[in-house]
Amino acid sequence: MGNKKKRRSLSTFAILIVVLLLVSAATWLASGQTYTDAETGEQAVVVGASLSDILMAPIGGWHDAGDVIGFVFCLGAFLSILNATGALETGIHVLVKKLHGKELALVWILMFLFSVGGTTYGMGEETVGFYILLAATMMAAGFDPLVGAATVLLGAGSGVLGSTINPFATGAAVAAASDAMKAMNTEVNMGIVYVEAIILWLATYFISALFVTRYAKKVKEGKGSILTADQLDECKKAYGSSSEIDANVKLTGRQKGVLVVFGLSFVVMILGFIPWGSLNEGIYNTLSFSHWLTGNGFGDWWFDDAATWFLLMGLLIGLIGLEDKSKLMPSIVAGFADMISVNLVIALARATTVIMSTTGLGTWLVEASVTALSASGLPAPAFGALDYLLHIGLSFLVPSSSGLSSLSAPIVSPIVVGMGWSVETSIMITVAANGLVNLFTPTCGFIMGGLALARVPYETWLKWAGKLLAIIAVVAGVVLTVAMLVLS
């Protein structure tokens, strides 16, 4: 597929260290600037990062992302046990055989399913385990690992960009805006929010799926992969024989049982993360029976709950699928070992967030820039367009959707309402801008970790997705600017 010459490039760790140093340097430039502390409401001052702050930031990142890291370790054990049974490899062969000639339809279907997870509960870190699975599947189907990685990242990401009931994006932004507007007797019209979110979600999904399938078709026809021949060889070694189709493959009864448990594991995880309490109280109460497993019922799960679940399901898969049960513990240890580099990436990516939090740089930048824009006196559509561009920039520094909303919405919302403009659109501007940036920012741990698992270099991802990201950015910007014009 690929015939490009091998060239040297920055590793993922080098990129993240450069970002950490640049952000640390920015704290020195902003040192002494004042901002309002979001928790206390009192004035605070930006402090320059000290040498000890910089050196301790990766360790702080490890602590800060501890729940995600624990989840990834347990997911690694789960996948390692699954691979040891041979059921996944055989299942991929059978699936690709059945889809012969219809592989592109699989991309559309999977991207839509991931997008549903994105728009409903902000599916991000939960996708890490799918990267290597779909990379191997797409290799077996005659594509390349980038198609698998893009299916996961752009699928879930398109849903997050158009978050409807995602409590960590739209929910957080609506809550922050509502609190800020209490004295103004103004409420957020959720109907408008949902309509705008659905338009953004489906538009982004369609554009992304079309882009991915056009590239996949090109690779399938032998017209070249963006990955080099050496990179593709490395992928084949990493995925083993699962990237090659056996014409006579069949699933045994034991393997079928393993795959049923495998599918059930992810269904239950999704049920656990969906915010049932904010959707339907009756369903939430009905599902509360599940609290016996981890102490939290469906709708209240977090990464510790998911980690426990996957470790238990991994043990069950081992008992069902491994004829030699002595392989169970070595498989768990090997799974943890496989995820060490991924978790180091996640910790190092979070280190930048730790620096911005401890120095106050992130809060000051959000407050200063949003306040300046709000006082600019621009007409509604111009304000909407610039607000969108501003939040794209801010999302690099504050990649957390809930974190950005809690800093931005209390400032923007009252001003937007006071001008008679659409507060619903201003909420979706924050959500969409943050969702766009989290399709490619190196400070997003699950992007860097997922790409590392799929053996897709970060700079290759940027090169390949650059045009698509620009198109998505423009389309989302146009939708939001028009919405601000029409609704204000």
Side-chain angles (χ1 to χ4, degrees):
M1 292 181 195
N3 53 9
K4 299 178 182 178
K5 293 182 179 180
K6 184 177 181 180
R7 59 189 178 85
R8 298 180 65 182
S9 59
L10 285 176
S11 69
T12 299
F13 294 104
I15 292 171
L16 291 173
I17 289 172
V18 169
V19 172
L20 175 63
L21 294 177
L22 289 174
V23 169
S24 299
T27 67
W28 304 332
L29 298 175
S31 180
Q33 299 293 333
T34 60
Y35 63 93
T36 303
D37 188 284
E39 294 183 359
T40 65
E42 299 178 354
Q43 285 290 105
V45 179
V46 177
V47 295
S50 65
L51 178 60
S52 62
D53 289 333
I54 298 171
L55 295 177
M56 290 295 293
I59 302 300
W62 185 279
H63 285 292
D64 197 48
D67 51 357
V68 177
I69 288 171
F71 167 73
V72 171
F73 270 135
C74 291
L75 184 63
F78 172 85
L79 293 174
S80 179
I81 297 170
L82 178 67
N83 287 332
T85 67
L88 180 60
E89 178 182 321
T90 305
I92 289 173
H93 288 184
V94 172
L95 176 63
V96 173
K97 274 184 62 180
K98 289 184 177 180
L99 288 172
H100 184 64
K102 301 177 182 178
E103 295 90 349
L104 293 178
L106 181 64
V107 175
W108 283 88
I109 293 169
L110 289 176
M111 287 188 70
F112 182 75
L113 293 176
F114 281 119
S115 76
V116 171
T119 192
T120 54
Y121 70 93
M123 193 176 192
E125 284 84 355
E126 304 88 342
T127 63
V128 170
F130 289 102
Y131 279 85
I132 190 168
L133 170 62
L134 287 187
T137 301
M138 295 307 174
M139 283 281 285
F143 304 132
D144 68 9
L146 182 59
V147 175
T151 298
V152 181
L153 179 48
L154 294 174
S158 62
V160 173
L161 190 150
S163 290
T164 49
I165 58 173
N166 176 7
F168 310 111
T170 306
V174 169
S178 298
D179 287 343
M181 298 184 302
K182 280 182 179 178
M184 307 176 76
N185 295 319
T186 301
E187 295 184 356
V188 177
N189 186 326
M190 292 307 299
I192 294 175
V193 171
Y194 292 147
V195 169
E196 292 186 10
I198 291 172
I199 292 172
L200 289 167
W201 164 30
L202 295 181
T204 306
Y205 160 73
F206 180 80
I207 294 169
S208 299
L210 185 62
F211 191 88
V212 174
T213 50
R214 286 183 63 184
Y215 171 75
K217 185 177 180 181
K218 174 185 172 184
V219 175
K220 182 81 170 177
E221 293 173 349
K223 296 180 180 178
S225 166
I226 194 170
L227 297 173
T228 66
D230 288 342
Q231 288 170 337
L232 290 172
D233 288 339
E234 180 186 342
C235 292
K236 289 179 180 178
K237 292 177 182 177
Y239 307 148
S241 58
S242 61
S243 62
E244 300 173 359
I245 298 299
D246 182 350
N248 300 315
V249 68
K250 287 184 180 180
L251 284 167
T252 65
R254 188 187 292 268
Q255 289 174 332
K256 289 178 181 178
V258 166
L259 292 179
V260 168
V261 175
F262 171 73
L264 178 66
S265 300
F266 284 95
V267 170
V268 170
M269 179 195 73
I270 291 171
L271 289 173
F273 277 109
I274 291 176
W276 298 109
S278 61
L279 298 178
N280 185 291
E281 188 174 349
I283 295 177
Y284 176 74
N285 291 333
T286 301
L287 294 175
S288 63
F289 73 89
S290 56
H291 78 278
W292 66 269
L293 183 63
T294 67
N296 292 313
F298 290 160
D300 293 327
W301 273 28
W302 198 237
F303 292 107
D304 288 345
D305 305 275
T308 301
W309 171 249
F310 274 109
L311 193 55
L312 288 173
M313 289 301 98
L315 293 172
L316 180 58
I317 284 175
L319 294 175
I320 295 173
L322 291 175
E323 293 186 11
D324 182 0
K325 301 300 187 290
S326 66
K327 293 181 179 179
L328 185 56
M329 282 310 300
S331 295
I332 292 174
V333 174
F336 272 62
D338 289 341
M339 293 298 176
I340 289 176
S341 63
V342 176
N343 277 332
L344 289 175
V345 167
I346 292 172
L348 195 52
R350 191 67 68 92
T352 300
T353 304
V354 170
I355 284 289
M356 288 190 293
S357 176
T358 55
T359 62
L361 177 68
T363 306
W364 170 73
L365 278 172
V366 172
E367 182 178 292
S369 54
V370 169
T371 301
L373 178 61
S374 300
S376 61
L378 293 169
F383 175 86
L386 289 179
D387 191 30
Y388 175 63
L389 293 175
L390 172 62
H391 279 86
I392 288 176
L394 293 176
S395 294
F396 282 100
L397 299 172
V398 189
S400 165
S401 55
S402 57
L404 182 62
S405 296
S406 65
L407 293 172
S408 171
I411 302 171
V412 176
S413 300
I415 295 173
V416 169
V417 171
M419 297 296 292
W421 298 340
S422 171
V423 69
E424 294 81 11
T425 303
S426 73
I427 286 171
M428 286 311 302
I429 283 173
T430 303
V431 172
N434 188 261
L436 172 68
V437 171
N438 279 319
L439 292 175
F440 64 93
T441 177
T443 56
C444 186
F446 67 82
I447 291 180
M448 306 301 282
L451 291 176
L453 280 176
R455 302 300 197 278
V456 176
Y458 176 68
E459 63 177 28
T460 300
W461 171 256
L462 288 183
K463 179 181 178 181
W464 177 82
K467 184 184 295 184
L468 171 64
L469 295 172
I471 294 171
I472 293 173
V474 171
V475 170
V478 169
V479 169
L480 293 166
T481 300
V482 171
M484 185 66 84
L485 174 64
V486 173
L487 297 175
S488 298

